[in-house]
Structures are given as C-alpha cells and as structure tokens.
Amino acid sequence: MMPYVKLNADELILILKQYDHTELHVHHTWKPNHDNFNGKNHERVQKGMRDFHVLTNKWDDIAQHVTLFPDGTFLTGRNFGKQPVSIKGYNGNGNSIPFACEMVGDFDIGEDKLEGKQLDAILKIAKFFNDQNKYIRFHRENAPWKSCPGTGIDKDEFMEQVRNYGKPAQVYWDGSPMRKGQIGRLTILKPINLWKRNSRDEINYHRVLRPGEQYRVYGFDEKHGGQYAVGGGYWVTNMDGYVKYETPSKAKMEALMKL
C-alpha cells in the first residue's frame, strides 16, 4: 500500500505525465456519498473503502488509483503503476493499464450532484486524457447492469464539458455555443423560405434555406401560420416535414441562465 497523498488536479496531472495510462475510468462510490464527507475526513473515508476492498473482497489493495472528494481534492490510493480493479475486461495488463478514478458521491438522479470543485477537478483530469486522444470510459459502458458513475451524469454532456473545459464561459450544445435568449434550434430538412418581418409584422422574402442548415431559435408565435424567430428579425415558418425543432436539456438551459 502506498501512502495516501492529497493532490489538486494540477498536481495530479504533473504525476500522471510520468506514466502512460491507456485511458481514464470514471466511477462513483455510491456509498460513501456526500453525506459521509465532512470536509476533513478524506483519509477516514478512504480507509473505509480500502478495508472493504481488502478484507471483504480480498483484493491486494484499494481498487482505484485516486479518490476524488467533493472539495475537489484527490487522495491517492493504489500504486499508479499497478492494474486497478476497475472494469472487468478493461483493467489492462503489464505496462498497459488504465487510470481509475473513484468520485465520492451517489450521482444517480435525485441524489448527490456532481458540481463545483469536484466537477471542475474531474473535468480537468478528463481533459488531460482526452487531449492525448485517450478514451474516457464510464463504468456502466461495460457493466450495463450498473449506473456508475450515476444516472445523473450524461456521458455526451460530460464529454462536451471536457472538450470545452478552459474555454471562455460558454454553454455548448453539440459543439455549438448557445446564445442568451436561445430556447432551441431549427434544422432545415427541405428547402424553405427565410422571411424578414417589418415593424407592422408584415413578412418579406429574404432567401431560401437549404437542407442541413441549423439556426438558433429565440421565440415562436402563431402569426403567418406559426413561425420560429431565428434572430435579427428573421423568421422561419413551421412546416411539417420541412423543419425539425429541438430544445436543449434542462441542465443546459439552467447553465445558460447563469451566464
């Protein structure tokens, strides 16, 4: 067993640069959860996990390389050069091993929320791996009977946050930045007219929109057969089969409101 060492994300990355882990494995503990952490008991919480892994599961050490606490602190666990007990069939062999991170919390919907310093820390570490084209693997991807790292963490949204980590404050939707006041997006399916409204709400033809084009939507009203406001005084008529309207997730809308 290696001594437990507290690290922030930047300190952890400096150490990780000395290794060549194949990918990052992301877990949640489920138990213990946020209620079991008081801001000071990092070692005690980790000891409870290690005792269970060693005494009950009969493993040679704690399963994970690091544990990430709600305060954004990492605590080292298993030797970084050893295979983790992480995801069956994906624990590596010899010098080709993944890096396993266990986040303290129960991140299933309705339970703890991955946010603040804890979210920032895991995003920074995930970006370190992603920038090297190394895969970020959620436990449930290869153990579908599990929710780990929690049903409250959407993989696609998580990876979008990873890719955009460190960029100016922005909310991204499938790689495209959202704008203040945006409520949705419109994808053009068949050629359709783009209209410009004047001060009397009369419409004038502007041009034809082509299939595949996408536009941010800022509003909708029932005038002229029902039209979407796409900004700048321009409108697109809601014609079935010609356009597809989508709304962002509740989480994205909440994040947009905070900007």
Side-chain angles (χ1 to χ4, degrees), residues 2-241:
M2 63 186 290
Y4 297 153
V5 179
K6 289 182 182 178
L7 303 166
N8 61 35
D10 291 322
E11 292 168 334
L12 176 56
I13 287 172
L14 286 176
I15 298 173
L16 288 175
K17 288 179 177 179
Q18 302 172 33
Y19 296 83
D20 188 24
H21 295 103
T22 56
E23 58 185 27
L24 174 66
H25 290 181
V26 182
H27 301 263
H28 73 162
T29 53
W30 185 60
K31 291 182 181 180
N33 58 28
H34 281 188
D35 288 341
N36 301 118
F37 179 65
N38 63 17
K40 301 176 182 178
N41 60 341
H42 304 76
E43 289 87 355
R44 182 176 178 182
V45 170
Q46 177 134 310
K47 183 180 184 301
M49 285 188 281
R50 183 180 187 277
D51 286 350
F52 181 78
H53 292 173
V54 173
L55 301 178
T56 301
N57 291 348
K58 305 301 181 183
W59 299 336
D60 63 336
D61 199 352
I62 193 169
Q64 66 267 25
H65 293 116
V66 291
T67 304
L68 174 56
F69 289 82
D71 63 355
T73 299
F74 291 92
L75 195 62
T76 59
R78 179 174 287 251
N79 188 296
F80 286 11
K82 291 182 63 177
Q83 285 178 263
V85 183
S86 180
I87 303 173
K88 187 175 181 179
Y90 291 85
N91 291 322
N93 54 72
N95 294 323
S96 180
I97 61 173
F99 186 76
C101 176
E102 192 87 42
M103 302 185 295
V104 172
D106 175 1
F107 299 117
D108 283 336
I109 293 171
E111 303 300 333
D112 298 330
K113 190 171 182 180
L114 180 59
E115 59 186 355
K117 293 180 179 179
Q118 192 174 29
L119 173 61
D120 186 81
I122 190 60
L123 290 178
K124 183 173 284 191
I125 297 303
K127 185 176 188 301
F128 170 76
F129 280 86
N130 191 67
D131 284 351
Q132 300 175 74
N133 294 315
K134 293 182 176 180
Y135 191 65
I136 315 300
R137 190 178 302 278
F138 279 14
H139 190 182
R140 64 173 177 255
E141 292 179 53
N142 303 99
W145 58 91
K146 291 180 175 287
S147 67
C148 184
T151 55
I153 305 175
D154 179 88
K155 177 72 183 292
D156 291 338
E157 290 187 4
F158 178 84
M159 290 308 303
E160 191 168 322
Q161 289 179 290
V162 169
R163 289 187 291 270
N164 293 304
Y165 182 84
K167 295 181 180 179
Q170 185 59 269
V171 179
Y172 290 85
W173 185 7
D174 292 341
S176 178
M178 295 185 69
R179 299 286 184 248
K180 281 284 191 180
Q182 182 179 353
I183 62 170
R185 70 182 174 198
L186 204 64
T187 301
I188 307 304
L189 304 178
K190 295 180 181 180
I192 189 170
N193 291 343
L194 176 66
W195 303 96
K196 178 84 170 180
R197 288 191 191 181
N198 60 26
S199 59
R200 297 184 299 277
D201 271 336
E202 298 169 336
I203 55 173
N204 296 290
Y205 167 80
H206 184 69
R207 70 179 180 89
V208 174
L209 305 182
R210 301 299 177 186
E213 295 180 16
Q214 284 192 330
Y215 296 89
R216 298 179 182 91
V217 174
Y218 300 93
F220 179 84
D221 66 27
E222 299 294 340
K223 298 175 182 177
H224 307 290
Q227 290 188 318
Y228 295 101
V230 294
Y234 293 98
W235 297 75
V236 180
T237 305
N238 180 25
M239 295 178 62
D240 188 40

